[in-house]
Amino acid sequence: MTTALVTHADCLDHVTPPGHPEQVARLDHVLHALAGLDLTRVTAPLAAEDDILRIHPAGYLAGLRRNLPAQGFYQIDGDTFLSPGSLSAAFRAAGGMVRAVDMVLNGDAGNAFCAARPPGHHAERETAMGFCLFGNAALAVKHALDFHGLQRVAVVDFDVHHGNGTQDLLWDEARALVITSQQMPLWPGTGRIDETGMHDTIVNIPLAPGSGGAEMRAAYADRAFPRLRAFAPELIVVSAGFDAHRDDPLAQLTWETEDFAWITAEICAIAAECCAGRVVSTLEGGYDLKALGDSARAHVEELIKAAR
Ligand SMILES: [Zn+2]
């Protein structure tokens, strides 16, 4: 089996103001870093409106469409912007995850990585925030549950920021286990251990500023992986943010590139035990361009090894 790389050039048309960390060059660096790897390259389709409406209300989508600027920017909050190409990019990022889930569940790929932007894990049900418009990871989970009829889907979110959007969108979803690690304290401020969801299916793993690979590996071995194995997921969705890297300018964890390889290999090993290796990963953060490219490559190399 192969690893699918799902992306679309429209994702480069979501433009942010000069100096903004979530910049077009991020995706260029990731795609450049993945050049030459043995991947099945797939064009991300536009998500169907029904896919978006599985997780966001119609009024939210209408608001984004209404505010989409003909030129320049529309500022949603302190750091989240719309440019003329933002909604096409967001529909490709969401549609790419739907396509990736379809491919992996239909046996057309062993696992998949969606290299797209805008990212998704901060987007709550009715609130775009933290550079995110649609909850791509939660949308993939709902598609697997509601369209494919799975009973148990897990999310592992190792972005340095709390996956507050994924937590919000899946808070009351008993069929989804959400494991999210984050530096604390750090924006957006949520992600305490006692945030466990309506059905005790949310697992928050706060990490102190300065924590490195050793602390991360211990925390995942103690708290994340036993829960993940016990849940026996039929699919694992990964929110792959690379901003816990020591060179990242937005946070203070000190993971190395090989820590991203380690966590990916561990997730893939559990997927091999539970669900024939079925993993669908989506790009979230990562703002030092070199660290982002290197870490994304390390992540995808492990996906490729696992799919073989
Ligand atoms: Zn982040």
Side-chain angles (χ1 to χ4, degrees), residues 45-299:
L46 294 167
E49 196 155 314
D50 284 350
D51 295 323
I52 306 298
L53 297 182
R54 280 204 171 93
I55 55 168
H56 298 292
Y60 173 75
L61 182 54
L64 290 176
R65 286 189 166 131
R66 193 167 54 242
N67 291 326
L68 193 73
Q71 56 185 10
F73 301 105
Y74 175 83
Q75 183 162 10
I76 295 175
D77 68 9
D79 49 28
T80 311
F81 293 82
L82 295 176
S83 71
S86 293
L87 273 186
S88 341
F91 270 85
R92 296 287 180 190
M97 284 298 276
V98 171
R99 178 88 179 97
V101 168
D102 289 345
M103 288 187 73
V104 168
L105 293 182
N106 293 339
D108 297 325
N111 53 35
F113 179 63
C114 291
R117 52 185 289 284
H121 74 148
H122 295 307
E124 298 187 345
R125 196 172 141 69
E126 300 188 57
T127 311
M129 60 186 276
F131 320 155
C132 301
L133 302 180
F134 298 145
N136 302 322
L139 184 147
V141 169
K142 289 289 194 184
H143 178 69
L145 294 171
D146 295 345
F147 183 81
H148 287 277
L150 299 195
Q151 295 300 309
R152 295 177 311 284
V153 179
V155 177
V156 179
D157 181 334
F158 56 75
D159 188 280
V160 79
H161 302 95
H162 180 227
N164 62 293
T166 307
Q167 171 171 300
D168 176 58
L169 292 164
L170 298 176
W171 184 260
D172 59 356
E173 177 52 84
R175 299 170 296 172
L177 176 72
V178 177
I179 294 171
T180 166
S181 61
Q182 51 273 344
Q183 178 182 320
M184 182 164 279
L186 185 66
W187 188 93
T190 46
R192 297 185 319 266
I193 285 176
D194 63 2
E195 296 168 28
T196 56
M198 195 174 285
H199 306 284
D200 196 26
T201 50
I202 309 275
V203 180
N204 272 294
I205 304 179
L207 298 167
S211 298
E215 289 84 359
M216 177 275 284
R217 292 178 195 214
Y220 270 85
D222 289 349
R223 296 200 48 228
F225 295 146
R227 285 292 301 269
L228 188 56
R229 281 200 173 85
F231 186 71
E234 298 163 286
L235 170 71
I236 301 176
V237 173
V238 178
S239 269
F242 301 100
D243 41 8
H245 194 284
R246 66 162 57 249
D247 293 339
D248 197 275
L250 295 196
Q252 292 79 40
L253 295 192
T254 57
W255 299 13
E256 306 280 357
T257 302
E258 37 300 3
D259 292 314
F260 295 99
W262 179 86
I263 196 168
T264 307
E266 293 290 314
I267 292 167
C268 288
I270 294 171
E273 292 168 27
C274 297
C275 52
R278 300 195 294 204
V279 172
V280 171
S281 174
T282 183
L283 177 64
E284 301 284 3
Y287 304 99
D288 178 87
L289 294 176
K290 179 166 191 319
L292 170 64
D294 291 349
S295 304
R297 184 178 173 104
H299 176 63

